[in-house]
Amino acid sequence: MKAYFAGGCFWCVTPIYKIYGVDSVVCGYSGGDEVAPTYEDVKAQKTGHRETIELTYEPENVTFDKLLDIYFANVDPFDGEGQYIDKGFSYTLAIYYQTEEEREIAASRISALEAESGQKVQVALEPFKSFYPAEEEHQDYYLKNPEAFEKELIESGRKTI
């Protein structure tokens, strides 16, 4: 199965899922209408796409609900401007559902978080349209560029030293 989450900078959220039994994580773009967007255009807010990860998983190993646990534990669901230092539409949060069951699970989680926090959750819940893999240099960035990745995590505010 596949799941699609926009969690801000796709470099920063990719490795999180690799440790939770997800078969593969692909960085890419989703949510917009432009065909085959580029990183430069998405980052410049020209496409209507968000930086998104495509998760391939086996439901018997990890459930969609567990993927949502991981998602909400690694984003700021109340920031409607983006995530951490990355601001702009392409860095805003979204869950792209493919089935009514996924929509219901995600909507329930969003409602529960709002009730618990007393704040409006800034996560778009949208039907999945398409996914375009990002350029190769963005795939597994944390493995290819470990020092730059560590610096990105710290400078973004996602990790404190």
Side-chain angles (χ1 to χ4, degrees), residues 63-134:
T63 64
F64 184 75
D65 200 47
K66 179 62 176 175
L67 295 175
L68 288 175
D69 285 343
I70 299 163
Y71 178 77
F72 282 112
N74 287 282
V75 298
D76 176 356
F78 308 110
D79 186 346
E81 301 298 316
Q83 288 294 285
Y84 303 91
I85 63 168
D86 296 312
K87 300 300 180 189
F89 180 81
S90 66
Y91 296 109
T92 59
L93 303 176
I95 298 167
Y96 297 107
Y97 62 88
Q98 298 172 88
T99 66
E100 182 59 22
E101 180 183 19
E102 286 180 357
R103 189 198 66 74
E104 289 173 2
I105 292 169
S108 175
R109 295 297 291 279
I110 290 168
S111 293
L113 185 54
E114 288 179 339
E116 178 183 307
S117 68
Q119 298 181 64
K120 173 80 173 121
V121 169
Q122 301 295 318
V123 177
L125 184 54
E126 299 179 3
F128 175 76
K129 294 194 285 188
S130 59
F131 177 79
Y132 299 95

Side-chain angles (χ1 to χ4, degrees), residues 36-58:
T38 65
Y39 178 74
E40 291 76 21
D41 286 345
V42 172
K43 187 173 182 168
Q45 317 303 320
K46 295 179 179 179
T47 67
H49 287 286
R50 293 179 178 95
E51 288 194 13
T52 301
I53 54 173
E54 175 189 70
L55 307 173
T56 301
Y57 68 101
E58 299 299 327

